[in-house]
Amino acid sequence: VITLLIGSLAKIVASPAAINFDNLPKNDKFESLLLDFGNAYEAIKFPYVQSKEFNVEPPSVATELDAAKKLYEFLGKQKKSNYDMEVLKLLTMRCLYNFNEVNSSKMEKEFSRIDKKFSKNAEHHWVYGNFLVTAGKAVEGIKELEKYLDMKNGMINSFFIYDYAYAQLLANMPLNAYYTITNGGNIPEEEIDGVQLLKLIKELVK
């Protein structure tokens, strides 16, 4: 089921929406790196699970990973940084983790640093929660996503709803996921954008 979910839900894990791009640097070098990373994101936003038993090899994503590395290194060299730059850096690390370029302890350390420095901000909880969910720690990931939800007092990005429902689905809570994606049944199914996610949720609710 997890493999099916990861392979079919292209719109899920939309944590780039956690970043306010208006607060990012305005120069040609950075914007070029950001564009390359944006083009690469779909290919590297999910971890690729290798299976020796079935002789499955990871796809070639050298170009995409290089884009993530270059942006990550650029952000790490900046003497002055703001919150959205820090969240973007965390996002690049999450992508690099998916292909064993960054380990989980480094992710945790970076998240803790951001959380200490920007304790009143919520968006890093969304990005880190997504990392935990796709790293096989759905329950822990849901806790971080709920921190984001609580801190935003209901003023949440619409993309977050799908990520939250996806996390609940991976935590074997399909009914919760259904109520999340339909806002407690108040949103008609035909008005929901996440058609594939809704379909999978309904199949597991049966």
Side-chain angles (χ1 to χ4, degrees):
V1 173
I2 290 178
T3 302
L4 173 62
L5 287 169
I6 289 175
S8 63
L9 301 176
K11 288 187 178 181
I12 307 305
V13 188
S15 47
I19 299 164
N20 184 344
F21 288 87
D22 289 337
N23 293 334
L24 297 178
K26 302 293 190 297
N27 61 70
D28 291 343
K29 173 66 174 177
F30 172 78
E31 290 179 353
S32 176
L33 292 172
L34 183 61
L35 178 61
D36 288 344
F37 176 67
N39 290 334
Y41 183 70
E42 287 295 320
I44 57 178
K45 68 179 182 179
F46 283 119
Y48 189 86
V49 182
Q50 298 184 50
S51 173
K52 293 182 180 180
E53 180 180 355
F54 295 101
N55 194 33
V56 176
E57 295 295 331
S60 177
V61 290
T63 301
E64 289 83 356
L65 286 176
D66 187 57
K69 287 178 185 177
K70 287 180 178 177
L71 181 56
Y72 168 67
E73 291 169 357
F74 177 90
L75 291 167
K77 292 177 181 178
Q78 302 310 297
K79 294 181 179 180
K80 292 184 178 181
S81 184
N82 61 35
Y83 179 65
D84 288 287
M85 291 171 67
E86 299 282 12
V87 176
L88 177 59
K89 183 181 176 184
L90 188 66
L91 180 64
T92 63
M93 291 177 68
R94 186 177 71 74
C95 292
L96 292 173
Y97 167 86
N98 291 340
F99 290 83
N100 300 315
E101 298 289 339
V102 169
N103 60 40
S104 58
S105 61
K106 193 168 184 178
M107 279 291 303
E108 182 179 356
K109 183 177 180 180
E110 184 67 10
F111 167 77
S112 297
R113 184 187 66 79
I114 296 172
D115 194 43
K116 183 177 180 180
K117 185 177 180 181
F118 299 98
S119 60
K120 294 183 179 180
N121 294 73
E123 284 72 18
H124 60 290
H125 292 286
W126 180 2
V127 175
Y128 190 63
N130 270 345
F131 156 70
L132 292 172
V133 168
T134 57
K137 300 178 180 179
V139 175
E140 294 93 330
I142 286 174
K143 290 180 181 179
E144 291 299 328
L145 295 176
E146 288 177 344
K147 287 181 182 178
Y148 168 84
L149 188 61
D150 291 341
M151 293 175 74
K152 298 298 285 187
N153 293 318
M155 302 297 291
I156 57 175
N157 187 294
S158 59
F159 285 107
F160 173 82
I161 295 298
Y162 298 104
D163 283 358
Y164 190 37
Y166 175 64
Q168 291 172 320
L169 190 57
L170 289 186
N172 295 317
M173 298 188 292
L175 189 58
N176 295 54
Y178 181 81
Y179 282 118
T180 292
I181 203 171
T182 62
N183 190 26
N186 292 316
I187 300 176
E189 291 182 1
E190 59 270 17
E191 294 182 13
I192 295 173
D193 290 334
V195 177
Q196 290 178 306
L197 177 58
L198 178 62
K199 181 180 178 181
L200 286 167
I201 290 172
K202 290 177 68 177
E203 287 177 356
L204 293 176
V205 167
K206 292 178 182 179

